[in-house]
Short mmCIF file of all heavy atoms in Angstrom, two decimals:
data_model
loop_
_atom_site.label_atom_id
_atom_site.label_comp_id
_atom_site.label_asym_id
_atom_site.label_seq_id
_atom_site.Cartn_x
_atom_site.Cartn_y
_atom_site.Cartn_z
N THR G 1 106.74 105.68 98.24
CA THR G 1 107.85 105.76 97.28
C THR G 1 107.28 106.16 95.91
O THR G 1 106.25 105.65 95.47
CB THR G 1 108.54 104.41 97.17
OG1 THR G 1 108.98 103.99 98.48
CG2 THR G 1 109.75 104.51 96.24
N ASP G 2 107.96 107.06 95.23
CA ASP G 2 107.52 107.51 93.93
C ASP G 2 107.78 106.43 92.89
O ASP G 2 108.93 106.12 92.56
CB ASP G 2 108.26 108.79 93.54
CG ASP G 2 107.75 109.42 92.27
OD1 ASP G 2 106.84 108.83 91.63
OD2 ASP G 2 108.23 110.49 91.90
N ASN G 3 106.71 105.82 92.38
CA ASN G 3 106.86 104.78 91.35
C ASN G 3 106.32 105.24 90.00
O ASN G 3 106.18 104.45 89.08
CB ASN G 3 106.14 103.49 91.79
CG ASN G 3 104.63 103.67 91.85
OD1 ASN G 3 104.10 104.78 91.74
ND2 ASN G 3 103.92 102.57 92.01
N GLY G 4 106.00 106.54 89.91
CA GLY G 4 105.53 107.09 88.64
C GLY G 4 104.06 106.89 88.37
O GLY G 4 103.58 107.30 87.30
N MET G 5 103.34 106.26 89.31
CA MET G 5 101.91 106.01 89.05
C MET G 5 101.05 106.17 90.30
O MET G 5 99.97 105.60 90.37
CB MET G 5 101.73 104.63 88.43
CG MET G 5 102.13 103.48 89.31
SD MET G 5 101.99 101.86 88.51
CE MET G 5 103.51 101.81 87.59
N ARG G 6 101.52 106.91 91.27
CA ARG G 6 100.72 107.10 92.48
C ARG G 6 99.54 108.04 92.19
O ARG G 6 99.67 108.98 91.39
CB ARG G 6 101.55 107.70 93.62
CG ARG G 6 102.72 106.84 94.06
CD ARG G 6 102.31 105.54 94.65
NE ARG G 6 103.47 104.82 95.19
CZ ARG G 6 103.48 103.54 95.52
NH1 ARG G 6 102.35 102.83 95.35
NH2 ARG G 6 104.54 102.96 95.99
N PRO G 7 98.41 107.82 92.84
CA PRO G 7 97.27 108.72 92.64
C PRO G 7 97.50 110.08 93.26
O PRO G 7 98.37 110.27 94.13
CB PRO G 7 96.10 107.99 93.31
CG PRO G 7 96.74 107.08 94.29
CD PRO G 7 98.08 106.68 93.70
N THR G 8 96.71 111.05 92.84
CA THR G 8 96.80 112.41 93.39
C THR G 8 96.52 112.36 94.89
O THR G 8 95.64 111.67 95.37
CB THR G 8 95.76 113.31 92.72
OG1 THR G 8 96.00 113.31 91.31
CG2 THR G 8 95.84 114.72 93.24
N GLY G 9 97.31 113.13 95.65
CA GLY G 9 97.10 113.21 97.08
C GLY G 9 98.15 112.47 97.88
O GLY G 9 98.19 112.61 99.13
N VAL G 10 99.01 111.70 97.22
CA VAL G 10 100.07 110.95 97.91
C VAL G 10 101.30 111.84 98.04
O VAL G 10 101.71 112.51 97.09
CB VAL G 10 100.41 109.67 97.15
CG1 VAL G 10 101.60 108.96 97.79
CG2 VAL G 10 99.21 108.72 97.10
N ARG G 11 101.91 111.84 99.22
CA ARG G 11 103.18 112.53 99.43
C ARG G 11 104.30 111.59 99.00
O ARG G 11 104.46 110.51 99.55
CB ARG G 11 103.35 112.92 100.90
CG ARG G 11 104.60 113.74 101.20
CD ARG G 11 104.70 114.04 102.66
NE ARG G 11 103.72 115.02 103.08
CZ ARG G 11 103.95 116.29 103.34
NH1 ARG G 11 105.19 116.74 103.23
NH2 ARG G 11 103.00 117.11 103.74
N LEU G 12 105.07 111.98 97.98
CA LEU G 12 106.04 111.10 97.36
C LEU G 12 107.42 111.28 97.94
O LEU G 12 107.85 112.41 98.27
CB LEU G 12 106.09 111.37 95.85
CG LEU G 12 104.78 111.16 95.10
CD1 LEU G 12 104.96 111.57 93.64
CD2 LEU G 12 104.29 109.72 95.19
N ILE G 13 108.18 110.15 98.06
CA ILE G 13 109.55 110.19 98.52
C ILE G 13 110.40 109.32 97.59
O ILE G 13 109.89 108.42 96.92
CB ILE G 13 109.70 109.68 99.97
CG1 ILE G 13 109.17 108.25 100.07
CG2 ILE G 13 108.99 110.62 100.95
CD1 ILE G 13 109.49 107.59 101.43
N PRO G 14 111.72 109.56 97.52
CA PRO G 14 112.59 108.70 96.70
C PRO G 14 112.69 107.31 97.31
O PRO G 14 112.45 107.11 98.50
CB PRO G 14 113.94 109.43 96.74
CG PRO G 14 113.66 110.79 97.27
CD PRO G 14 112.45 110.68 98.13
N MET G 15 113.12 106.37 96.51
CA MET G 15 113.32 105.00 96.96
C MET G 15 114.51 104.91 97.92
O MET G 15 115.53 105.59 97.74
CB MET G 15 113.58 104.12 95.74
CG MET G 15 113.69 102.64 96.01
SD MET G 15 114.19 101.72 94.53
CE MET G 15 112.96 102.29 93.35
N ARG G 16 114.37 104.10 98.98
CA ARG G 16 115.45 103.77 99.92
C ARG G 16 116.11 105.01 100.54
O ARG G 16 117.33 105.07 100.67
CB ARG G 16 116.51 102.91 99.22
CG ARG G 16 115.94 101.68 98.53
CD ARG G 16 117.02 100.78 97.97
NE ARG G 16 116.47 99.80 97.05
CZ ARG G 16 117.14 98.79 96.52
NH1 ARG G 16 118.43 98.64 96.82
NH2 ARG G 16 116.57 97.95 95.70
N ASP G 17 115.31 105.99 100.89
CA ASP G 17 115.83 107.24 101.45
C ASP G 17 115.17 107.46 102.81
O ASP G 17 114.08 108.06 102.89
CB ASP G 17 115.54 108.38 100.50
CG ASP G 17 116.28 109.66 100.89
OD1 ASP G 17 116.55 109.84 102.08
OD2 ASP G 17 116.55 110.49 100.00
N VAL G 18 115.81 107.01 103.88
CA VAL G 18 115.20 107.11 105.22
C VAL G 18 115.11 108.55 105.68
O VAL G 18 114.19 108.94 106.42
CB VAL G 18 115.97 106.24 106.23
CG1 VAL G 18 117.32 106.80 106.53
CG2 VAL G 18 115.16 106.02 107.50
N ASP G 19 116.04 109.42 105.23
CA ASP G 19 115.97 110.83 105.59
C ASP G 19 114.71 111.49 104.98
O ASP G 19 114.03 112.27 105.65
CB ASP G 19 117.22 111.59 105.12
CG ASP G 19 118.49 111.15 105.86
OD1 ASP G 19 118.37 110.74 107.03
OD2 ASP G 19 119.56 111.22 105.25
N ALA G 20 114.46 111.18 103.73
CA ALA G 20 113.26 111.72 103.07
C ALA G 20 112.00 111.20 103.74
O ALA G 20 111.02 111.94 103.90
CB ALA G 20 113.28 111.37 101.61
N LEU G 21 112.01 109.93 104.14
CA LEU G 21 110.86 109.36 104.83
C LEU G 21 110.62 110.07 106.16
O LEU G 21 109.49 110.42 106.50
CB LEU G 21 111.07 107.87 105.05
CG LEU G 21 109.96 107.12 105.78
CD1 LEU G 21 108.62 107.25 105.07
CD2 LEU G 21 110.34 105.65 105.97
N GLU G 22 111.70 110.27 106.90
CA GLU G 22 111.59 110.98 108.19
C GLU G 22 111.02 112.40 107.99
O GLU G 22 110.09 112.81 108.70
CB GLU G 22 112.94 111.06 108.85
CG GLU G 22 112.93 111.88 110.16
CD GLU G 22 114.30 112.25 110.68
OE1 GLU G 22 115.30 111.88 110.02
OE2 GLU G 22 114.38 112.91 111.73
N ASN G 23 111.55 113.14 107.04
CA ASN G 23 111.08 114.50 106.80
C ASN G 23 109.61 114.53 106.39
O ASN G 23 108.84 115.37 106.85
CB ASN G 23 111.93 115.16 105.70
CG ASN G 23 113.37 115.41 106.16
OD1 ASN G 23 113.63 115.51 107.36
ND2 ASN G 23 114.28 115.50 105.21
N ALA G 24 109.21 113.55 105.53
CA ALA G 24 107.82 113.53 105.10
C ALA G 24 106.88 113.23 106.26
O ALA G 24 105.80 113.84 106.38
CB ALA G 24 107.66 112.47 103.99
N ILE G 25 107.26 112.29 107.12
CA ILE G 25 106.42 111.96 108.27
C ILE G 25 106.33 113.13 109.22
O ILE G 25 105.24 113.51 109.69
CB ILE G 25 106.97 110.71 109.02
CG1 ILE G 25 106.85 109.46 108.14
CG2 ILE G 25 106.23 110.50 110.33
CD1 ILE G 25 107.56 108.25 108.71
N THR G 26 107.49 113.76 109.49
CA THR G 26 107.50 114.90 110.41
C THR G 26 106.62 116.05 109.89
O THR G 26 105.84 116.65 110.64
CB THR G 26 108.95 115.39 110.60
OG1 THR G 26 109.73 114.32 111.14
CG2 THR G 26 108.98 116.60 111.56
N GLU G 27 106.75 116.34 108.59
CA GLU G 27 105.95 117.42 108.00
C GLU G 27 104.46 117.07 108.02
O GLU G 27 103.61 117.93 108.28
CB GLU G 27 106.43 117.70 106.59
CG GLU G 27 107.81 118.31 106.52
CD GLU G 27 108.34 118.39 105.09
OE1 GLU G 27 107.57 118.07 104.15
OE2 GLU G 27 109.53 118.75 104.92
N GLN G 28 104.15 115.81 107.75
CA GLN G 28 102.75 115.43 107.70
C GLN G 28 102.12 115.51 109.10
O GLN G 28 101.00 115.98 109.25
CB GLN G 28 102.61 113.99 107.17
CG GLN G 28 101.18 113.52 107.02
CD GLN G 28 100.39 114.38 106.06
OE1 GLN G 28 100.75 114.53 104.90
NE2 GLN G 28 99.29 114.98 106.52
N LEU G 29 102.83 115.06 110.09
CA LEU G 29 102.30 115.08 111.47
C LEU G 29 102.13 116.50 111.99
O LEU G 29 101.38 116.73 112.94
CB LEU G 29 103.18 114.27 112.40
CG LEU G 29 103.20 112.74 112.15
CD1 LEU G 29 104.17 112.08 113.09
CD2 LEU G 29 101.80 112.15 112.35
N ALA G 30 102.86 117.46 111.38
CA ALA G 30 102.77 118.86 111.82
C ALA G 30 101.56 119.57 111.22
O ALA G 30 101.24 120.68 111.60
CB ALA G 30 104.04 119.60 111.45
N ILE G 31 100.86 118.92 110.29
CA ILE G 31 99.74 119.54 109.61
C ILE G 31 98.47 119.34 110.44
O ILE G 31 98.06 118.21 110.68
CB ILE G 31 99.50 118.96 108.22
CG1 ILE G 31 100.74 119.20 107.34
CG2 ILE G 31 98.26 119.55 107.57
CD1 ILE G 31 100.66 118.55 105.97
N PRO G 32 97.90 120.42 110.96
CA PRO G 32 96.66 120.27 111.73
C PRO G 32 95.46 120.13 110.81
O PRO G 32 95.56 120.26 109.58
CB PRO G 32 96.57 121.61 112.49
CG PRO G 32 97.23 122.58 111.57
CD PRO G 32 98.29 121.83 110.83
N GLY G 33 94.31 119.84 111.39
CA GLY G 33 93.10 119.84 110.59
C GLY G 33 92.36 118.53 110.67
O GLY G 33 92.84 117.52 111.19
N ILE G 34 91.15 118.55 110.15
CA ILE G 34 90.27 117.39 110.15
C ILE G 34 90.46 116.62 108.86
O ILE G 34 90.60 117.20 107.78
CB ILE G 34 88.80 117.83 110.26
CG1 ILE G 34 88.61 118.63 111.57
CG2 ILE G 34 87.85 116.64 110.23
CD1 ILE G 34 87.25 119.25 111.72
N ARG G 35 90.45 115.30 108.97
CA ARG G 35 90.60 114.46 107.79
C ARG G 35 89.41 114.58 106.86
O ARG G 35 88.29 114.73 107.29
CB ARG G 35 90.69 113.01 108.23
CG ARG G 35 91.96 112.66 108.84
CD ARG G 35 92.22 111.22 108.46
NE ARG G 35 93.13 110.68 109.40
CZ ARG G 35 93.13 109.42 109.74
NH1 ARG G 35 92.24 108.62 109.23
NH2 ARG G 35 94.01 108.95 110.54
N THR G 36 89.69 114.49 105.59
CA THR G 36 88.63 114.45 104.59
C THR G 36 88.72 113.19 103.77
O THR G 36 89.57 113.11 102.88
CB THR G 36 88.71 115.69 103.67
OG1 THR G 36 90.09 115.99 103.42
CG2 THR G 36 88.01 116.86 104.23
N PRO G 37 87.89 112.19 104.09
CA PRO G 37 87.87 110.98 103.26
C PRO G 37 87.60 111.32 101.81
O PRO G 37 86.81 112.23 101.50
CB PRO G 37 86.73 110.17 103.86
CG PRO G 37 86.64 110.64 105.28
CD PRO G 37 86.97 112.10 105.21
#
């Protein structure tokens, strides 16, 4: 949830918005590639 102070690299969504949460998860899971800690 966007609280105005998240660090760089976080995918932000509005508060209490399950549709936005679903879309963000779906888009994130569709991204291929190797993780970079």
Side-chain angles (χ1 to χ4, degrees):
T1 305
D2 187 356
N3 67 350
M5 63 183 82
R6 299 296 186 194
T8 303
V10 174
R11 184 182 288 255
L12 302 175
I13 59 170
M15 185 188 307
R16 307 186 193 188
D17 190 333
V18 70
D19 293 331
L21 178 58
E22 176 193 0
N23 292 337
I25 293 171
T26 300
E27 292 172 6
Q28 184 61 57
L29 292 176
I31 299 174
I34 301 173
R35 286 213 203 150
T36 37

